[in-house]
């Protein structure tokens, strides 16, 4: 890893955007490394949750603009077969990262430790929770740069905050404080910068300590994928498949036995080999 770091400690993975001298500005290298990091955390059954944060005083200052006015002309011209769309255009890199996060088997917490603008804020929209330092500042600055929203934010943001607030932030491109993001519901909790990572780890443990990993993974994908379902019948069908599939697996026997025995459960099923397919008949798989 060149532009990020990945550590795992006692079931919690921490992915850190690691270009502190550049305020963790987003690069193609970072894009590909983030996708690989989420591949790693999904494949590691010891990982129960993932925290995404930044090194130094910023979370992410947006795209690396060191090429100046030609930044996006050069970016579009980069040859990367994995990022090519069917029309031959380069796919949005932040979007590829967000689609990979959307598909994650593990809950994701974004710990926004400082400024988060452009892709620096849009990449967090696929996290299950956003915690922020109380002095952090954010901005969907694309219109002020002549660009448009990216990282699937035109789909995600209006699902996370009221439509008029989303449009205010998008149209104006203004920088706003974490307190405003918290009031609008974009940020779950605010903490001092010194306490932020510890609080993110504590939240990750509280979310996963007593729950079956396979059930958490399935629940995460059910909630996220069903955000765009056209009718509750789609949810009913998928939930029915899930209840039937999980009901015959060892986790349920253990969960009920532990409840009746008034003890903590020790769930045996693992995401690597016990994930039933709930979605293939009803919902497409993201192509990240």
């Amino acid at each position: 890893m060149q532009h990020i770091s990945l550590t795992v400690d006692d079931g919690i993975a921490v992915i850190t955007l690691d270009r502190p001298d550049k305020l963790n500005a987003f690069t193609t290298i970072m894009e590909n490394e983030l996708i690989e990091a989420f591949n790693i955390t999904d494949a590691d059954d010891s990982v129960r949750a993932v925290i995404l944060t930044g090194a130094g005083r910023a979370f992410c200052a947006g795209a690396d603009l060191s090429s100046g006015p030609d930044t996006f002309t050069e970016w579009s011209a980069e040859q990367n077969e994995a990022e090519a769309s069917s029309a031959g255009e380069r796919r949005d890199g932040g979007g590829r990262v967000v689609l990979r996060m959307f598909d994650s088997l593990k809950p994701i917490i974004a710990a926004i430790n400082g400024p988060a603008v452009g892709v620096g804020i849009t990449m967090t929209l696929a996290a299950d929770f956003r915690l922020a330092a109380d002095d952090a500042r954010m901005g969907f600055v694309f219109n002020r740069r002549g660009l448009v929203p990216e990282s699937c934010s035109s789909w995600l943001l209006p699902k996370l905050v009221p439509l008029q607030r989303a449009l205010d932030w998008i149209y104006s491109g203004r920088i706003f404080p974490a307190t405003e993001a918290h009031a609008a519901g974009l940020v779950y909790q605010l903490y001092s910068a010194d306490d932020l990572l510890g609080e993110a780890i504590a939240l990750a443990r509280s979310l996963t300590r007593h729950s079956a990993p396979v059930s958490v993974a399935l629940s995460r994908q059910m909630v996220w994928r069903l955000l765009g379902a056209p009718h509750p019948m789609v949810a009913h069908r998928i939930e029915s498949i899930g209840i039937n599939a999980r009901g015959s697996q060892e986790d349920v026997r253990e969960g009920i036995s532990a409840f009746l025995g008034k003890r903590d459960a020790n769930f045996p099923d693992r995401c690597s080999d016990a994930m039933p397919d709930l979605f293939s008949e009803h919902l497409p798989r993201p192509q990240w």
Side-chain angles (χ1 to χ4, degrees):
M1 301 291 187
Q2 300 177 57
H3 290 178
I4 71 169
S5 65
L6 170 63
T7 62
V8 178
D9 182 31
D10 194 24
I12 307 300
V14 178
I15 299 172
T16 304
L17 310 180
D18 198 11
R19 303 182 71 212
D21 57 324
K22 302 293 186 181
L23 300 182
N24 303 318
F26 189 83
T27 64
T28 299
I29 291 172
M30 184 180 289
E31 166 195 338
N32 291 321
E33 290 182 349
L34 282 168
I35 291 171
E36 179 58 23
F38 284 104
N39 289 343
I40 292 168
T41 56
D42 267 3
D44 186 347
D45 284 329
S46 74
V47 173
R48 301 294 304 275
V50 180
I51 294 169
L52 178 64
T53 193
R57 66 183 183 87
F59 178 76
C60 175
D64 189 326
L65 302 179
S66 58
S67 294
D70 292 327
T71 294
F72 284 91
T73 302
E74 295 177 4
W75 173 85
S76 297
E78 285 183 12
Q79 298 299 312
N80 188 330
E81 184 176 349
E83 296 179 18
S85 71
S86 59
E89 297 171 335
R90 178 169 175 181
R91 288 175 57 191
D92 164 39
R96 292 184 65 234
V97 172
V98 161
L99 288 171
R100 181 63 189 88
M101 294 170 67
F102 182 95
D103 212 30
S104 174
L105 301 180
K106 315 297 170 72
I108 303 169
I109 299 168
I112 303 171
N113 56 296
V117 300
V119 68
I121 188 62
T122 55
M123 77 166 75
T124 73
L125 300 184
D128 301 276
F129 298 87
R130 280 159 299 283
L131 310 182
D134 51 19
D135 60 352
R137 295 174 66 79
M138 306 165 190
F140 298 85
V141 297
F142 309 101
N143 286 185
R144 292 196 178 196
R145 308 290 182 267
L147 294 166
V148 295
E150 42 69 85
S151 298
C152 307
S153 58
S154 57
W155 189 86
L156 284 163
L157 185 60
K159 293 175 172 60
L160 296 170
V161 302
L163 178 60
Q164 291 176 104
R165 178 59 67 197
L167 294 176
D168 168 6
W169 289 342
I170 291 170
Y171 291 169
S172 70
R174 65 184 176 85
I175 303 297
F176 54 91
T179 51
E180 182 176 329
H182 180 246
L186 182 63
V187 168
Y188 184 59
Q189 294 287 357
L190 298 175
Y191 297 101
S192 71
D194 290 342
D195 292 338
L196 180 65
L197 184 57
E199 293 290 348
I201 291 171
L203 175 60
R205 296 200 194 290
S206 74
L207 296 172
T208 59
R209 183 183 295 116
H210 300 297
S211 299
V214 172
S215 293
V216 171
L218 290 171
S219 297
R220 182 183 197 275
Q221 295 199 344
M222 289 163 72
V223 170
W224 277 104
R225 295 191 190 187
L226 288 165
L227 281 175
H231 194 280
M233 179 56 78
V234 180
H236 172 63
R237 289 170 178 161
I238 288 171
E239 289 165 359
S240 297
I241 295 169
I243 289 292
N244 281 281
R246 289 298 279 152
S248 63
Q249 291 184 298
E250 290 302 316
D251 274 354
V252 172
R253 294 185 177 89
E254 169 61 12
I256 294 172
S257 296
F259 172 73
L260 295 175
K262 298 181 179 180
R263 61 175 175 82
D264 290 340
N266 183 19
F267 295 108
D269 294 332
R270 295 291 174 261
C271 292
S272 58
D273 58 11
M275 284 281 291
D277 178 12
L278 309 188
F279 307 104
S280 60
E281 292 185 22
H282 302 284
L283 293 172
R285 181 181 178 86
Q287 297 298 309
W288 37 266

